[in-house]
């Protein structure tokens, strides 16, 4: 039987590439001048690196081979989301006053099953991992509750794998969209995700081992929070005490995004409260 532990870089890369092509909209009307500015700056910084580091033909050809492999493995979404998206997010949300956002990463799938609060994320009968009750309230920047706000969340399982990107997992496992109540409150039952290792058997994994880096992201819950008339927040929440919070390979951790769950008094796993503040639509 093929289970999630048989996940390969090529298969999850192909999934992330297909997901990107199907769902990410962009205007494609960037002006010639803007394209020229951005492309020249990127090309110039590569040329500067070549000159300053006196890059050899051997190194140049190794780079060429590696870039070709990133494409063949379908790992461009992974590469860009790990090493570039964090600065794009920082620029995009620099003027927000509400809750902090961070990178989306390659594994969001729209249109997860919708439920009203209180809700339990779709999971297997014997889903491994510590139960986690995640609850909170969605408000605007004036502190007013946002009734019916939508909390979309998705996260890895207790082995660090995402449904739809690793084999053998039910389609919507640990993915959901929960509608807050009339006070903007939500209560979501799930399990605590495990730290996630980006695939080590593809081009990105080869770079990581050649450079002597590690491939870990701290355990995290991905979220998109939205409400009518407000700016959508894409974010992630992490867990205090996770050793990779301090050295996330994707540079996506912010101090405001670290949870400290407590043991539940009924012995039923852990619980944590986190409130979201949305900026008005501009
Ligand atoms: C990647 C995976 C993630 O789960 C994430 O949150 C960010 C990046 C990746 O493999 O690129
Ligand atoms: Fe992730």
């Amino acid at each position: 039987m093929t289970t999630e532990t048989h996940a390969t870089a090529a298969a999850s890369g192909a999934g992330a590439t297909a997901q990107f092509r199907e769902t990410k909209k962009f205007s494609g009307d960037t002006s010639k001048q803007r394209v020229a500015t951005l492309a020249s700056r990127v090309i110039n910084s590569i040329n500067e690196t070549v000159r300053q580091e006196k890059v050899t033909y051997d190194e140049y050809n190794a780079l060429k081979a590696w870039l070709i492999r990133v494409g063949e493995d379908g790992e461009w979404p992974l590469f860009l989301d790990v090493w570039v998206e964090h600065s794009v997010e920082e620029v995009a949300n620099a003027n927000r006053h509400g809750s902090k956002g961070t990178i989306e990463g390659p594994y969001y799938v729209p249109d997860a099953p919708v439920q009203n609060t209180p809700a339990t994320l779709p999971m297997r009968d014997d889903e491994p991992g510590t139960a986690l009750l995640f609850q909170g309230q969605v408000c605007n920047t004036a502190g007013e509750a946002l009734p019916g706000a939508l909390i979309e969340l998705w996260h890895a399982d207790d082995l660090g794998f995402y449904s739809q990107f690793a084999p053998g997992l039910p389609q919507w496992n640990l993915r959901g969209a929960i509608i807050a109540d009339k006070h903007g409150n939500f209560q979501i039952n799930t399990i605590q995700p495990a730290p996630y290792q980006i695939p080590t058997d593809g081009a990105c994994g080869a770079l990581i081992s050649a450079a002597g880096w590690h491939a870990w992201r701290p355990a995290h819950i991905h979220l998109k929070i939205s409400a009518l008339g407000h700016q959508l927040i894409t974010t992630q929440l992490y867990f205090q005490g996770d050793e990779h919070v301090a050295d996330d390979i994707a540079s996506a951790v912010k101090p405001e995004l670290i949870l400290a769950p407590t043991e539940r008094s009924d012995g039923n796993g852990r619980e944590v409260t986190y409130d979201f503040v949305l900026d008005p639509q501009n």
Side-chain angles (χ1 to χ4, degrees):
M1 197 176 96
T2 305
T3 65
E4 54 190 318
T5 55
H6 295 89
T8 61
S12 54
T17 299
Q19 191 57 40
F20 174 78
R21 286 200 176 120
E22 281 163 35
T23 61
K24 276 289 175 269
K25 307 275 179 270
F26 55 95
S27 70
D29 62 0
T30 310
S31 72
K32 281 194 167 55
Q33 191 186 21
R34 180 78 174 155
V35 172
T37 301
L38 299 182
S40 320
R41 288 199 64 168
V42 171
I43 292 165
N44 288 344
S45 31
I46 295 172
N47 292 143
E48 261 323 286
T49 305
V50 170
R51 289 193 189 97
Q52 287 174 6
E53 295 294 333
K54 302 199 184 334
V55 170
T56 65
Y57 259 103
D58 199 53
E59 290 165 335
Y60 172 66
N61 286 325
L63 170 67
K64 219 185 223 184
W66 182 78
L67 288 169
I68 291 166
R69 187 171 168 207
V70 176
E72 286 169 349
D73 290 348
E75 284 201 323
W76 281 117
L78 190 150
F79 173 83
L80 290 165
D81 294 350
V82 165
W83 282 295
V84 182
E85 190 188 351
H86 66 92
S87 61
V88 179
E89 190 279 330
E90 186 184 309
V91 169
N93 297 328
N95 297 325
R96 282 210 182 148
H97 299 285
S99 302
K100 291 286 178 204
T102 189
I103 68 169
E104 175 174 319
Y107 299 143
Y108 172 64
V109 183
D111 303 321
V114 179
Q115 306 176 62
N116 286 313
T117 189
T120 298
L121 284 194
M123 62 176 85
R124 294 162 286 183
D125 290 341
D126 54 352
E127 189 67 44
T130 306
L132 178 71
L133 170 62
F134 174 63
Q135 57 192 348
Q137 187 184 31
V138 185
C139 289
N140 63 18
T141 46
E144 296 157 345
L146 295 173
L150 187 70
I151 298 97
E152 290 180 86
L153 65 172
W154 68 103
H155 63 77
D157 67 11
D158 192 50
L159 291 175
F161 292 101
Y162 285 86
S163 59
Q164 301 190 39
F165 298 92
L169 292 167
Q171 184 179 21
W172 296 107
N173 211 56
L174 304 175
R175 295 174 179 275
I178 286 81
I179 302 173
D181 68 15
K182 62 183 181 197
H183 306 295
N185 289 318
F186 62 87
Q187 282 196 311
I188 301 165
N189 291 288
T190 184
I191 58 111
Q192 205 167 305
Y196 167 84
Q197 194 175 24
I198 74 161
T200 51
D201 61 318
C204 290
L207 169 62
I208 288 165
S209 70
W213 300 335
H214 71 74
W216 292 95
R217 297 216 58 222
H220 56 280
I221 297 177
H222 290 271
L223 297 126
K224 283 183 184 280
I225 315 294
S226 56
L228 214 64
H230 293 79
Q231 295 180 39
L232 179 150
I233 295 179
T234 299
T235 194
Q236 300 183 18
L237 295 172
Y238 306 93
F239 298 90
Q240 202 174 71
D242 184 325
E243 63 169 309
H244 296 295
V245 156
D247 66 348
D248 176 14
I249 189 171
S251 312
V253 179
K254 302 179 185 182
E256 298 87 345
L257 301 178
I258 301 173
L259 300 173
T262 54
E263 300 303 320
R264 292 181 67 169
S265 49
D266 61 6
N268 229 337
R270 308 170 82 191
E271 66 186 351
V272 70
T273 301
Y274 194 88
D275 300 327
F276 295 95
V277 178
L278 302 194
D279 283 64
Q281 201 73 260
N282 44 31

